[in-house]
Amino acid sequence: MKLNEFRKGPHLSASAIAEYIECSLSYRFSRIDKLKPEFKSDNMEFGSCIHQALADFHQERMIGTIMTLGQLQDKFVYYWGIRASGNDEIKYKPENSYNSYLEMGKALMKTYHDNFSEDNTVVLAIEEPFRFTLDNLPIALVGVMDLVEEDIQENIIITDFKTAAKSYTENDVSKNPQLTLYQLASRYNGYSDRNIIMKLDCLIKTKTPQFKRYYTARDKWDELKVTRKIIEVWKGITKGVFIPNDTSWKCNECFYKSACNDWYSQAT
């Protein structure tokens, strides 16, 4: 079943949960009021194209083919052209442009290709949609796992692709709630009896692009904590608790700045 089908009816995703925790008013504007964003983020559009190219790369692996570097770079160029060429809705930071991202994308694809190793793994799924429900929560949790593999020890390896401006810290990886949600999804969707390994494959947009791989694992305590957070987020949503967080680092790049200002002005 496709993700769009899973999204029918009340649901939450990792990004929705993170958005509510970061700024619940932004959540309301985007997820409930469904306001059109004032602009599109250059970083987010770029990251989506990287994901699409890597998904195609691993799709080819499923049929026993490894793309050449040129083929992988062509995939990125194709997706970036469709998404960004002539798109005036994308807001570029002063140091960025369509062409600079074009070159950066090709450089990151080279970095990924140079560092790729199958590591005796078999691809089970790419862009795997999931849906599950938790006890005492009347909504579904939905999302997509970028890559699911099995190694020779029959471990299930779940990979999330990331693009970032700098390397992740150990704390970033060990407390990443998205990975914990993926582990829960795996347990509810056929892998409850398997050992699950989580992995971030991170392409870092430094002057000389880097590739870093981070392995991590989750235990029952991690699952309990994220479950409690999800329940409290849903309580806040159903009770109409939407509070702006104007101390967030994301505030200056908010898609709903005008709507937020209007919200404040209504209080006077």
Side-chain angles (χ1 to χ4, degrees):
M1 190 174 290
K2 294 184 178 180
L3 183 61
N4 286 341
E5 293 295 317
F6 286 161
R7 284 174 171 162
K8 292 180 178 178
H11 66 275
L12 285 174
S13 64
S15 60
I17 295 162
E19 185 175 13
Y20 185 88
I21 292 171
E22 186 70 36
C23 179
S24 56
L25 187 60
S26 174
Y27 174 95
R28 196 194 89 178
F29 290 150
S30 65
R31 312 275 178 166
I32 297 176
D33 299 340
K34 299 189 184 300
L35 300 183
K36 181 180 179 181
E38 295 173 15
F39 62 91
K40 292 182 177 179
S41 162
D42 54 354
N43 275 328
M44 291 179 66
E45 297 300 302
F46 177 76
S48 293
C49 294
I50 294 290
H51 271 70
Q52 287 176 293
L54 293 180
D56 285 356
F57 178 84
H58 290 285
Q59 189 70 51
E60 288 295 308
R61 280 184 62 205
M62 288 191 79
I63 60 173
T65 303
I66 302 298
M67 283 186 184
T68 66
L69 171 59
Q71 289 171 327
L72 180 57
Q73 289 176 322
D74 286 347
K75 288 289 184 181
F76 169 78
V77 171
Y78 170 75
Y79 288 122
W80 182 239
I82 289 177
R83 186 177 288 265
S85 181
N87 189 342
D88 295 333
E89 293 183 345
I90 298 177
K91 180 180 178 181
Y92 291 98
K93 295 180 179 63
E95 67 274 17
N96 298 330
S97 67
Y98 173 85
N99 287 328
S100 70
Y101 271 121
L102 182 67
E103 296 306 313
M104 174 59 75
K106 290 192 289 186
L108 290 177
M109 292 297 92
K110 182 178 188 307
T111 301
Y112 186 85
H113 200 275
D114 288 349
N115 285 275
F116 172 73
S117 172
E118 291 193 84
D119 295 328
N120 296 313
T121 58
V122 175
V123 177
L124 300 181
I126 303 104
E127 299 286 307
E128 175 77 354
F130 64 79
R131 183 183 187 278
F132 68 97
T133 56
L134 296 170
D135 293 340
N136 302 318
L137 196 64
I139 60 164
L141 283 302
V142 304
V144 175
M145 290 181 277
D146 291 343
L147 177 65
V148 182
E149 298 171 288
E150 183 180 44
D151 67 14
I152 57 176
Q153 286 82 33
E154 297 187 343
N155 298 305
I156 299 299
I157 303 171
I158 300 171
T159 301
D160 194 46
F161 300 128
K162 295 291 186 186
T163 55
K166 61 181 181 180
S167 300
Y168 282 26
T169 66
E170 181 179 343
N171 195 54
D172 292 332
V173 178
S174 64
K175 293 189 176 181
N176 185 301
Q178 186 176 19
L179 294 180
T180 312
L181 188 64
Y182 289 172
Q183 174 155 311
L184 280 172
S186 298
R187 298 208 182 284
Y188 279 91
N189 287 275
Y191 299 122
S192 59
D193 61 340
R194 305 289 289 277
N195 184 47
I196 299 171
I197 299 171
M198 317 298 295
K199 177 163 68 73
L200 290 178
D201 276 359
C202 189
L203 287 164
I204 304 168
K205 300 179 289 184
T206 44
K207 186 174 182 180
T208 300
Q210 302 175 61
F211 172 78
K212 292 194 176 180
R213 174 166 286 169
Y214 304 92
Y215 286 96
T216 187
R218 297 293 187 267
D219 58 23
K220 291 296 183 181
W221 179 240
D222 295 313
E223 294 179 4
L224 179 64
K225 288 194 295 183
V226 80
T227 299
R228 181 61 188 269
K229 281 186 180 181
I230 292 168
I231 291 170
E232 294 305 311
V233 164
W234 183 243
K235 285 181 182 178
I237 293 168
T238 55
K239 291 178 180 178
V241 178
F242 303 109
I243 303 170
N245 179 12
D246 54 11
T247 62
S248 168
W249 65 271
K250 293 184 176 180
C251 193
N252 290 334
E253 299 179 6
C254 180
F255 300 137
Y256 305 103
K257 184 68 71 176
S258 296
C260 188
N261 290 338
D262 290 343
W263 182 90
Y264 274 111
S265 68
Q266 292 169 10
T268 60

